[in-house]
Amino acid sequence: MLKNTLSKYQALIITGVLLWIKSYIVYKFAFDLSIENSVQEFILLINPLSSVVFIIAFALFFSGKGRNIAILVLNFIATFVLFANMVYYRFFNDFITIPVLFQTSNMGDLGESITSLLYPYDFLLFIDIILMAVYFKVRKTDGPKVSSKKIGLTFAAGLILFIVNVGIAETERPQLLTRSFDREMLIKNIGAFNYHVYDAVIQSKAKAQRALADSSEIVDIENYVKADYRQPDPEKFGAAEGKNVVMISMESLQDFVINNEVEGKEITPFLNDLIEDEDTYYFPNFYHQTGQGKTSDSEFIVANSMYPLPSGAVFFTHSQNEYQAMPEILDQKDYYTASMHANNKSFWNRDIMYKSLGYDHFYSLKDYKVTPETSIGWGLKDEHFFEQSVGHMKEMPEPYFTKLITLTNHFPFSLEQEDELIPEWTSQDGTVNRYFTTARYTDESIKMFFDSLKNQGMYEDTVFVLYGDHYGISENHNAAMSKYLGKEITPFVSTQLQQVPLLIHIPGDGNGKVMETVGGQIDIRPTLLHLLGVDTKNTIHFGSDLFSKDRQDFAVLRDGSFITKNHVYTDGKCYDKESGEPVEKAQCEPYMEKAKKELDYSDRIIYGDLLRFFDPKSGQVKEEK
Ligand code: GP9
Ligand code: MN
């Protein structure tokens, strides 16, 4: 009987077993999943099983040749899911989510990046499908018809396996399915396939949330935000009133390169000099707070003083929401507002989202002259980008607020020899080696940009805000980073590596200094608006003015880690900042609630599109009609 069953369902069983093995191989070799004990290893091993059985159950709906085709198609889809995650992980050190899948316009633009992320042996994942197709052709096997009772039983078996899987996983990780923002935990515990189903459920929930949200939900949030408001420093309020604003989003620039060297060569000599300048405020304890939306998340944070989403890029998933963003606020103060970035306008859905954020104009790829000589990697080299941007800025009505997004210091950090100002580093890790060289290049192009503005009389009457958009070197490069920094990359160090530089440069100010306050990108908006003399009391925002005398040293990262004056909290552990050693969790306790609440409130605003219920003119919840 067993022999009979085995031979009747041979193709299905082989496919199932191979898919199981493939999943496990990808888990082990393509992802860096931290497995702490044998139970976790066991969960990892069994977690593809329930999906494999579901897949088999689906195939059973078909018989004859149809079954063969169904097996091949289902195997292909499942394998593609593994393959796509594998490639995505290589770059983002993360797993795909449904909103990311709809960012196909980005994928097409990845160009050089995507090819450098693919290895020929990746395609071995698909080899069993080809062999299976040949096998079907040669053996001419047909799948027998199966009763619906048997199909039902197979689904039930899948379900039981899933319940057992989640049961064991819950003993390891309580509340596994209610805490969703750690994707690695989900993959480890319920497997790649179930994770994607789970993600789909979460996304549909978000859609439903908007439909169900009403104005009462904004009330608690409004109360929290108002209680958290910090008075601006009267000396700084309006210190840059009426000036033009030039914001530079520095691609992948982390703070560890500032005032640092590689092989005796300074990495960012211009920024280092600028920091020393009496007109510059430099914030060394400043963090990026981005999630999967990378550059676009940083743009979102700065524009809205809200957190990006725990999964997907809010630029894609919620571009139709009502926002009360900084470009719109400044527009009402008679500023001309623009964003400048020499990339396809649809990348990160910017062309759509910028309208919701209230930009007057977006200078995108089509506004720049890009030739093979002036481009590298992702597009126009920073030097040429800045040079051509100055041309556009000359045309802007004053006062203007413009954001320039650099690109050259982007993975895979390619640069032509003629542009190399310092040689690549010499570790085993090419990515890290090249990073220093492209960072140095970007630094030089910012210098040229400043020089050009000075020469053209466009410098004096401008306030400059320069910040790093997100990390450039992911945890996949810990070995080289450890070598460079000369210390072990513990979770504490990893969190500290999320520091990005922030410089606020106000020509003629004269009071510039190093500002030790702990903050994040979310604080840029209230800080800048106050410098420009714009009141923020009536706006819903989570950041606070970095110059405010009574501000709290505090930054929450999107993964729930947070940093205070003396502590770093990450991965459920509290660390002493000075020693970098774990301490009693109680020491971080006072801030845990606040960190959770802020992320949660911010998410609720986005999911429920709650700002549509808030009137920024009166600073009140709108009257129900
Ligand atoms: C794309 C550029 C880079 O236009 O902003 O995006 P990133 O990959 O850093 O998010
Ligand atoms: Mn970026």
Side-chain angles (χ1 to χ4, degrees), residues 304 318-325 328 350-359:
N304 297 294
H318 294 81
S319 61
Q320 299 309 309
N321 274 15
E322 163 89 26
Y323 294 106
Q324 293 155 6
E328 190 176 324
R350 284 186 176 101
D351 52 343
I352 311 275
M353 184 59 162
Y354 278 175
K355 293 199 175 90
S356 303
L357 297 179
Y359 280 104

Side-chain angles (χ1 to χ4, degrees), residues 342-586:
N343 199 348
N344 264 353
K345 66 178 180 359
S346 60
F347 203 104
W348 285 129
N349 203 29
R350 284 186 176 101
D351 52 343
I352 311 275
M353 184 59 162
Y354 278 175
K355 293 199 175 90
S356 303
L357 297 179
Y359 280 104
D360 289 323
H361 196 79
F362 176 23
Y363 295 85
S364 68
L365 187 64
K366 64 177 175 22
D367 301 293
Y368 291 84
K369 196 167 164 281
V370 185
T371 63
E373 292 74 46
T374 58
S375 61
I376 183 87
W378 279 49
L380 190 59
K381 292 180 197 170
D382 289 347
E383 178 193 340
H384 300 275
F385 163 65
F386 278 121
E387 187 190 315
Q388 295 183 38
S389 295
V390 172
H392 293 314
M393 285 160 64
K394 276 193 205 144
E395 307 295 320
M396 292 180 191
E398 294 188 72
Y400 54 75
F401 163 90
T402 188
K403 174 174 64 183
L404 298 95
I405 305 170
T406 72
L407 199 53
T408 308
N409 190 38
H410 193 290
F411 179 86
F413 311 110
S414 343
L415 203 62
E416 269 143 353
Q417 204 141 29
E418 62 190 48
D419 293 314
E420 287 185 2
L421 296 159
I422 58 172
E424 290 172 12
W425 191 37
T426 48
S427 79
Q428 297 290 319
D429 190 328
T431 301
V432 177
N433 296 349
R434 293 191 299 276
Y435 178 76
F436 294 111
T437 313
T438 47
R440 173 69 187 87
Y441 170 84
T442 294
D443 177 81
E444 189 70 16
S445 47
I446 299 174
K447 176 181 190 294
M448 289 160 131
F449 175 60
F450 269 70
D451 288 344
S452 162
L453 292 181
K454 281 179 184 163
N455 289 338
Q456 322 227 16
M458 296 163 74
Y459 164 79
E460 290 298 332
D461 218 17
T462 300
V463 46
F464 296 86
V465 180
L466 292 79
Y467 64 91
D469 64 350
H470 48 75
Y471 68 81
I473 302 297
S474 73
E475 288 176 13
N476 293 339
H477 304 281
N478 277 357
M481 281 304 287
S482 170
K483 186 174 170 204
Y484 176 72
L485 298 172
K487 58 182 172 193
E488 193 196 337
I489 311 293
T490 61
F492 166 78
V493 175
S494 267
T495 308
Q496 291 298 67
L497 279 172
Q498 304 315 307
Q499 289 174 341
V500 292
L502 168 68
L503 285 77
I504 299 180
H505 179 74
I506 313 171
D509 181 90
N511 296 312
K513 58 177 177 218
V514 175
M515 305 280 294
E516 295 292 345
T517 184
V518 175
Q521 289 164 331
I522 208 150
D523 299 316
I524 291 181
R525 175 171 123 171
T527 309
L528 177 62
L529 287 178
H530 287 167
L531 283 174
L532 299 175
V534 180
D535 194 86
T536 65
K537 255 203 274 350
N538 281 348
T539 62
I540 299 279
H541 62 269
F542 294 95
S544 67
D545 186 339
L546 291 163
F547 291 115
S548 174
K549 292 260 193 298
D550 55 354
R551 73 167 266 114
Q552 247 178 348
D553 287 272
F554 187 61
V556 192
L557 310 189
R558 186 56 258 194
D559 67 357
S561 305
F562 61 82
I563 302 93
T564 66
K565 195 171 168 54
N566 301 315
H567 296 99
V568 166
Y569 180 84
T570 187
D571 259 355
K573 286 205 182 83
C574 185
Y575 294 85
D576 178 73
K577 245 167 140 179
E578 196 122 340
S579 67
E581 294 299 324
V583 292
E584 286 284 298
K585 210 166 166 175

Side-chain angles (χ1 to χ4, degrees), residues 41 71 117 170 176 188 372-373 375-376 391 501 506 533 548 593 611:
E41 188 65 63
I71 294 171
L117 286 171
E170 283 270 340
L176 174 70
K188 265 188 340 201
E373 292 74 46
S375 61
I376 183 87
I506 313 171
S548 174
E593 183 67 26
L611 289 181

Side-chain angles (χ1 to χ4, degrees), residues 86-285:
M86 185 167 81
V87 176
Y88 187 80
Y89 191 89
R90 228 168 255 157
F91 184 22
F92 291 103
N93 200 24
D94 203 345
F95 306 95
I96 294 177
T97 67
I98 301 254
V100 166
L101 274 187
F102 292 107
Q103 296 164 14
T104 41
S105 53
N106 279 10
M107 299 301 171
D109 291 331
L110 279 172
E112 188 186 347
S113 288
I114 195 104
T115 43
S116 71
L117 286 171
L118 288 177
Y119 303 143
Y121 58 73
D122 292 345
F123 295 95
L124 287 177
L125 271 186
F126 294 94
I127 200 135
D128 61 319
I129 302 174
I130 299 168
L131 293 176
M132 213 64 180
V134 175
Y135 171 83
F136 286 141
K137 202 127 195 106
V138 177
R139 287 286 298 268
K140 305 219 177 341
T141 48
D142 284 350
K145 225 176 165 52
V146 178
S147 68
S148 34
K149 193 175 154 206
K150 275 193 182 151
I151 300 178
L153 281 175
T154 316
F155 271 113
L159 192 65
I160 290 170
L161 279 171
F162 179 69
I163 292 170
V164 170
N165 175 180
V166 174
I168 308 175
E170 283 270 340
T171 61
E172 269 293 304
R173 277 285 170 192
Q175 298 173 307
L176 174 70
L177 297 183
T178 43
R179 296 176 53 205
S180 69
F181 61 70
D182 189 350
R183 280 172 289 280
E184 174 176 324
M185 212 184 283
L186 286 168
I187 298 266
K188 265 188 340 201
N189 286 293
I190 59 169
F193 305 117
N194 289 325
Y195 152 74
H196 284 294
V197 175
Y198 173 79
D199 182 42
V201 173
I202 298 270
Q203 298 305 333
S204 338
K205 202 170 125 204
K207 284 260 174 313
Q209 268 166 338
R210 184 191 190 274
L212 294 175
D214 65 60
S215 61
S216 64
E217 286 187 48
I218 191 100
V219 178
D220 281 352
I221 302 175
E222 187 201 354
N223 289 339
Y224 172 81
V225 165
K226 288 198 167 150
D228 207 43
Y229 172 77
R230 296 285 183 264
Q231 289 286 348
D233 174 354
E235 299 225 334
K236 291 281 180 293
F237 190 84
E241 192 164 348
K243 284 185 190 276
N244 296 322
V245 180
V246 169
M247 226 177 217
I248 305 179
S249 163
M250 302 180 288
E251 178 57 46
S252 300
L253 201 74
Q254 291 175 237
D255 199 66
F256 75 85
V257 297
I258 299 292
N259 286 320
N260 215 341
E261 294 182 343
V262 63
E263 312 271 356
K265 300 262 189 331
E266 237 181 323
I267 306 158
T268 57
F270 174 69
L271 291 178
N272 300 346
D273 283 352
L274 194 64
I275 286 168
E276 294 299 315
D277 193 292
E278 57 175 18
D279 296 337
T280 302
Y281 299 87
Y282 165 58
F283 300 81
N285 297 310

